[in-house]
Amino acid sequence: MMENFDRHRRLRNHPAIRDMIRETSISAKDFIYPLFVTHEKGRHAIPSMPGVEHLSLEELRKEVYELSRLGVPAIMLFGLPAVKDEVSSEAYAEQGIVQQAIRVIKEENKDLLVATDVCLCQYNPAGHCGIVHGDQILNDESLHYIAKTALSHVAAGADLVAPSDMMDGRIQAIRHMLDEAGYVQTPILSYSVKYASAFYGPFREAADSAPAFGDRRSYQMDPANVREALREAASDLAEGADMLMVKPALAFLDVIKTVRDHFDVPLVAYNVSGEYAMVKAAANAGWIDEKAIVMEMMLGFKRAGADMIISYFAKDVARYLGA
Ligand code: PBG
């Protein structure tokens, strides 16, 4: 009998062939692990994010050791300040929680790549990412404070800054301030394509950064748009961003793919808090196979075109891979 179809299954029978023809791979080296640091003592669980905790500076030392043992090469640092005020003073204070944390990490292990989230929302009572006037989130007035925050992180020893505020012109402002201070070699990872998303819910509980009024739709992107993502990314690159990010990841794989196809700079996917919480909740209920689901998600991010993944699962993935 003449066959008139392809035998795709021929390459699926032997495990070694499957391994050899695999197009996408995951390594612990692909990951950036988010960490939350506080002035409080000890470790405190974040109820909506099982396995993720607020860490004191002392606990941070242990965490740094654990990460290097697991082979996770990088962290993204978030801080919970002691005080919040209108000009987000603790965001750029020399003794701010993030600045202290950076110095502690570098003391413990100077090789761990320290990236910092640069934003004001945790640091002002309005819980918005810029300077607030009435019900407006001011753009140009915020730039100075955002840039100052980035500079203070770098001065404390951060290797890379990642602005997440979504003000226009922030990359230019940060690049300018870093260059003036002599930090011409410090890269900027821009949260360029950041959507106004319900997937950040658990994070806002974790970081105590939910907006006190309104929402973030006047500065974060509309989840319905993808062409706009290209304009955001192009502006950030023109202003001096070295790497781009798409956030969230799971519901935005087409955006990752589109950005990857249009720009040749390294691309990061942020597998956000709500994506983590959904998997943990279903896994804890016994409804899904957590390990298989997590690895399939990570493959999806990379297959879509992400070079790196920021994920609360980073340590789990490293363990799955045999660390
Ligand atoms: C700060 C910031 C947020 C996240 C990262 N940086 C929250 C927000 O924009 O509301 C979300 C991270 C996550 O959900 O895991 N602007």
Side-chain angles (χ1 to χ4, degrees):
M1 197 189 77
M2 254 304 271
E3 283 175 9
N4 192 23
F5 55 85
D6 293 331
R7 294 251 170 225
H8 299 291
R9 294 181 55 185
R10 266 185 213 131
L11 298 182
R12 290 181 197 146
N13 288 320
H14 199 295
I17 293 188
R18 288 202 301 266
D19 283 350
M20 286 188 285
I21 67 165
R22 186 160 298 129
E23 297 172 30
T24 312
S25 64
I26 311 271
S27 147
K29 297 258 171 288
D30 302 329
F31 286 86
I32 301 172
Y33 184 62
L35 283 180
F36 298 95
V37 282
T38 72
H39 293 283
E40 277 167 44
K41 294 227 172 330
R43 285 181 175 252
H44 298 276
I46 300 164
S48 57
M49 300 175 73
V52 179
E53 293 164 315
H54 287 162
L55 306 177
S56 65
L57 293 172
E58 278 316 302
E59 292 297 323
L60 183 61
R61 290 184 195 275
K62 299 180 200 157
E63 193 71 21
V64 167
Y65 176 77
E66 173 73 356
L67 288 167
S68 59
R69 194 184 63 78
L70 289 169
V72 176
I75 59 158
M76 176 70 80
L77 209 49
F78 295 92
L80 283 91
V83 288
K84 299 181 192 249
D85 63 29
E86 260 65 48
V87 290
S88 297
S89 305
E90 202 183 316
Y92 42 83
E94 209 193 316
Q95 292 305 325
I97 187 66
V98 168
Q99 291 78 1
Q100 290 189 52
I102 297 166
R103 292 190 288 263
V104 162
I105 296 164
K106 287 294 172 186
E107 231 173 77
E108 217 57 44
N109 178 3
K110 64 176 176 27
D111 297 327
L112 182 68
L113 183 93
V114 179
T116 58
D117 181 88
V118 175
C119 198
L120 304 183
C121 60
Q122 283 109 281
Y123 299 90
N124 66 78
H128 276 289
C129 305
I131 298 291
V132 174
H133 183 72
D135 61 356
Q136 300 293 306
I137 319 310
L138 304 178
N139 192 84
D140 299 19
E141 291 76 357
S142 302
L143 299 180
H144 169 73
Y145 297 96
I146 304 266
K148 228 167 115 149
T149 302
L151 176 59
S152 75
H153 293 172
V154 176
D159 299 294
L160 186 156
V161 286
S164 67
D165 54 286
M166 289 298 275
M167 299 299 126
D168 292 323
R170 69 206 204 277
I171 304 301
Q172 185 179 74
I174 293 171
R175 187 71 272 162
H176 184 74
M177 212 183 268
L178 292 182
D179 289 355
E180 290 273 284
Y183 297 111
V184 294
Q185 293 291 353
T186 304
I188 302 175
L189 161 59
S190 178
Y191 282 71
S192 348
V193 183
K194 180 175 176 184
Y195 289 92
S197 170
F199 282 98
Y200 309 149
F203 171 94
R204 290 182 188 168
E205 180 195 321
D208 186 27
S209 68
F213 66 86
D215 53 42
R216 303 213 203 287
R217 284 184 291 183
S218 76
Y219 45 105
Q220 298 180 347
M221 284 179 55
D222 181 343
N225 296 351
V226 63
R227 295 192 301 267
E228 189 184 351
L230 298 177
R231 300 200 295 275
E232 278 283 0
S235 301
D236 285 356
L237 290 175
E239 289 178 30
D242 300 282
M243 300 194 274
L244 299 175
M245 189 195 302
V246 172
K247 175 184 176 204
L250 202 53
F252 298 84
L253 293 175
D254 60 318
V255 182
I256 297 174
K257 171 77 177 144
T258 306
V259 172
R260 160 50 66 240
D261 288 347
H262 280 79
F263 301 99
D264 57 11
V265 295
L267 180 60
V268 179
Y270 198 140
N271 173 216
V272 301
S273 59
E275 300 168 17
Y276 178 82
M278 293 192 307
V279 172
K280 284 288 177 189
N284 288 341
W287 296 335
I288 56 170
D289 174 345
E290 180 172 349
K291 175 179 173 183
I293 291 273
V294 167
M295 292 309 269
E296 204 170 310
M297 280 170 45
M298 300 306 149
L299 268 182
F301 304 146
K302 289 205 72 184
R303 200 184 58 243
D307 300 296
M308 287 156 273
I309 303 168
I310 303 176
S311 179
Y312 305 97
F313 287 115
K315 291 196 292 181
D316 294 327
V317 170
R319 282 187 205 105
Y320 298 154
L321 294 171

